[in-house]
């Protein structure tokens, strides 16, 4: 008689061997803990990964949202919150790691710092980094959230906030949900308007960085600002 080998459950496998031995689906299963009536936790994890990523890996969770998660069979309010918090945790860890090497004179490190928090958004977001006389970060703020392909912004509101924070210069960032950071004509016009507005109130616009999917475009690097 052929001996039947009992398959290790993810929780026990993690405890005995370590989390590095778990597949992406198994890791998610451990976090979700249990299934629901008629659907096992393994099935839920596999479905979620396939739903949010063409490669069925964990990076797809960075693109998830409440509405889409709730449509997955076996996923209710509790599991939706668990997954959204997991996604946010990964984004924050990535941001903190980038911050350790942050240099606001270097577009590459600035883009790296904001990359994980912006590249997964399905809508355009415009973020402003406020800097002091030593080019150090005073604060950062999400100023506007636009549509899928259009960011709505106000030059007046941006520099009003800059004056309130008593900053010397700013760096403007926005994302392209398409993943391609190539600037459009509208982006060029936006940059010109921001630089003009900054000169009017005495606040320098050091750069305008467009965030794509693991790519970026810097107006400063291309000497267009």
């Amino acid at each position: 008689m052929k001996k039947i080998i009992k398959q290790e459950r993810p929780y026990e496998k993690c405890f005995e061997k370590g989390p590095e031995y778990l597949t992406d689906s198994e890791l998610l299963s451990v976090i979700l803990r249990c299934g629901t009536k008629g659907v096992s936790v393994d099935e839920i994890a596999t479905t979620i990964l396939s739903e949010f990523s063409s490669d069925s890996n964990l990076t797809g969770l960075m693109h998830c949202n409440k509405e889409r998660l709730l449509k997955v069979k076996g996923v209710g309010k509790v599991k939706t919150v668990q997954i959204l918090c997991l996604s946010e945790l990964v984004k924050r860890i990535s941001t903190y790691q980038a911050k350790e090497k942050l240099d606001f004179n270097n577009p590459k490190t600035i883009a790296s710092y904001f990359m994980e928090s912006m590249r997964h958004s399905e809508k355009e977001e415009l973020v402003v980094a406020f800097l002091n006389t030593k080019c150090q970060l005073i604060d950062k703020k999400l100023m506007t959230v636009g549509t899928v392909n259009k960011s709505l912004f106000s030059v007046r509101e941006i520099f009003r906030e800059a004056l309130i924070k008593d900053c010397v210069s700013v760096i403007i960032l926005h994302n392209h949900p398409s993943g391609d950071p190539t600037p459009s004509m509208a982006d060029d016009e936006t940059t010109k308007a921001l630089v003009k507005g900054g000169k009017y109130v005495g606040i320098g616009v050091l750069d305008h960085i467009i965030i794509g999917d693991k790519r970026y475009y810097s107006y400063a690097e291309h000497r267009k600002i």
Side-chain angles (χ1 to χ4, degrees):
M1 178 182 283
K2 186 177 180 180
K3 185 178 180 181
I4 299 176
I5 301 175
K6 185 178 179 181
Q7 187 177 9
E8 288 182 287
R9 293 187 62 79
Y11 187 90
E12 287 76 16
K13 183 178 178 181
C14 178
F15 187 79
E16 293 295 330
K17 298 180 179 180
E20 65 271 21
Y21 284 89
L22 271 60
T23 64
D24 289 349
S25 180
E26 288 173 334
L27 279 169
L28 186 55
S29 295
V30 171
I31 292 169
L32 295 177
R33 295 182 61 190
C34 61
T36 56
K37 187 175 181 180
V39 189
S40 71
V41 68
D42 298 329
E43 292 174 318
I44 294 173
T46 300
T47 301
I48 290 171
L49 293 181
S50 61
E51 174 71 21
F52 290 96
S53 175
S54 58
D55 299 323
S56 296
N57 58 47
L58 289 170
T59 58
L61 295 182
M62 305 294 281
H63 299 277
C64 67
N65 58 53
K66 181 176 68 176
E67 290 73 23
R68 289 180 64 191
L69 282 169
L70 288 171
K71 292 179 181 179
V72 177
K73 185 178 180 181
V75 177
K77 182 178 178 180
V78 173
K79 284 182 171 50
T80 294
V81 170
Q82 287 175 312
I83 295 166
L84 290 176
C85 286
L86 172 63
S87 174
E88 182 62 23
L89 183 63
V90 173
K91 291 177 185 178
R92 293 190 188 189
I93 290 173
S94 299
T95 300
Y96 294 150
Q97 289 175 334
K99 188 175 182 180
E100 294 177 0
K101 300 179 181 179
L102 192 59
D103 177 3
F104 276 93
N105 290 306
N106 187 329
K108 184 177 180 179
T109 58
I110 299 168
S112 176
Y113 177 65
F114 287 95
M115 183 66 69
E116 290 307 314
S117 63
M118 296 185 71
R119 75 183 180 95
H120 302 287
S121 176
E122 295 180 356
K123 293 184 179 181
E124 283 201 7
E125 299 177 346
L126 190 143
V127 174
V128 180
F130 304 95
L131 312 176
N132 62 18
T133 54
K134 296 182 179 180
C135 209
Q136 296 171 326
L137 182 65
I138 296 174
D139 196 7
K140 62 182 186 292
K141 184 176 181 179
L142 173 63
M143 297 298 297
T144 59
V145 178
T147 60
V148 173
N149 58 6
K150 185 178 181 181
S151 177
L152 306 176
F153 82 101
S154 166
V155 173
R156 179 178 178 277
E157 287 302 313
I158 289 173
F159 289 108
R160 176 178 177 275
E161 191 71 26
L163 290 169
I164 290 173
K165 296 184 184 299
D166 196 27
C167 74
V168 173
S169 57
V170 297
I171 292 176
I172 311 297
L173 303 100
H174 86 274
N175 65 304
H176 280 180
S178 67
D180 181 1
T182 304
S184 63
M185 289 182 64
D187 292 330
D188 290 343
E189 291 302 316
T190 295
T191 304
K192 290 177 183 177
L194 289 166
V195 172
K196 183 178 180 181
K199 288 180 179 178
Y200 183 78
V201 296
I203 295 175
V205 178
L206 301 185
D207 202 353
H208 179 188
I209 298 174
I210 302 173
I211 301 294
D213 188 7
K214 295 184 179 180
R215 295 181 289 162
Y216 73 94
Y217 179 94
S218 161
Y219 276 82
E221 279 187 344
H222 287 80
R223 298 182 180 180
K224 292 176 65 176
I225 199 170

